[in-house]
Amino acid sequence: MTLEQIIKTRRSVRSYTDESVSKEDVLKLLDMARWAPHALESWRFVVVREAEGKDLLAKAARQDFIATAPVIIVVGAYVDVFAEYHSVWHRWDAYKFRGLFYIQTTAAAIQNLMLSAVEMGLGTCWIGSFNEGDVAKAVGFPAGVRPVALVPVGHPDKTQKKAERVPLETIVSWEKYTPVPE
Ligand SMILES: Cc1cc2nc3c(=O)[nH]c(=O)nc-3n(C[C@H](O)[C@H](O)[C@H](O)COP(=O)(O)O)c2cc1C
């Protein structure tokens, strides 16, 4: 598959077969994730495979389908790393470290992971809606690690529908921003 085919065939997969996902495949996904651009490699990953942990995460997200995936990868951002480093990296603004960098770093890793899954015949879904405290508790994140996303991983149980996107010209401006007409 070309990169364009991988990008355009990836769909959110919310229904999985009973087939398991091997530890090697999970490690491959996480290896690909960590080659994303990063600020201080602040991503942290917890792999949840046992039913008890998956159920806690599904409850934290109020999305039952998550627990039906053989694996859920919890992506966290080690927020404290920015506090530790910004004092020596003066030219980098502390707010950006804390407020934006860790979000962008983890998002880039998640996208790498999800695209790699397509190439491996696996299905994923980006889960961003959940109770942060409940997710942190379920996987034992300490105060300095913030849950950013859950990524259920499994073998897709059916072909995904073709996706739509709004026309490119409604989201692209040249030189200056043009509001989208109501
Ligand atoms: C930040 C973010 C949060 C998301 N949260 C959820 C979620 O909580 N539950 C869910 O089923 N899908 C979630 N999604 C997936 C989107 O619904 C999905 O990517 C979008 O509808 C486009 O469909 P596609 O992924 O099939 O192209 C989220 C995606 C992103 C990027």
Side-chain angles (χ1 to χ4, degrees), residues 12-83:
S12 293
V13 174
R14 300 184 176 89
S15 180
Y16 315 92
T17 69
D18 292 338
E19 194 179 343
S20 60
V21 175
S22 69
K23 186 173 181 182
E24 291 68 33
D25 279 355
V26 172
L27 289 173
K28 172 80 179 173
L29 291 173
L30 295 172
D31 184 41
M32 299 306 277
R34 74 194 172 113
W35 285 98
H38 66 88
L40 302 174
E41 297 183 77
S42 51
W43 40 53
R44 298 291 183 270
F45 306 98
V46 178
V47 181
V48 179
R49 295 179 295 180
E50 292 179 4
E52 190 186 347
K54 290 193 291 181
D55 286 343
L56 284 173
L57 294 173
K59 283 196 179 71
R62 295 176 183 240
Q63 300 183 62
D64 292 344
F65 81 88
I66 300 173
T68 67
V71 175
I72 303 173
I73 297 174
V74 181
V75 183
Y78 180 39
V79 181
D80 281 352
V81 75
F82 299 123

Side-chain angles (χ1 to χ4, degrees), residues 98-120:
R98 297 187 75 88
L100 293 177
F101 280 20
Y102 69 81
I103 299 295
Q104 295 174 74
T105 293
T106 47
I110 294 163
Q111 181 71 342
N112 266 22
L113 188 159
M114 293 176 82
L115 294 179
S116 300
V118 174
E119 191 177 38
M120 294 160 66

Side-chain angles (χ1 to χ4, degrees), residues 10-12 14 63 65 125-130 163 165:
R10 183 213 54 79
R11 294 277 69 77
S12 293
R14 300 184 176 89
Q63 300 183 62
F65 81 88
C125 186
W126 188 314
I127 304 296
S129 174
F130 51 78
R165 293 293 188 261

Side-chain angles (χ1 to χ4, degrees), residues 158-172:
K158 54 186 175 227
T159 311
Q160 306 305 312
K161 279 190 278 181
K162 203 171 180 319
E164 300 293 334
R165 293 293 188 261
V166 298
L168 200 52
E169 59 271 19
T170 64
I171 56 168
V172 177

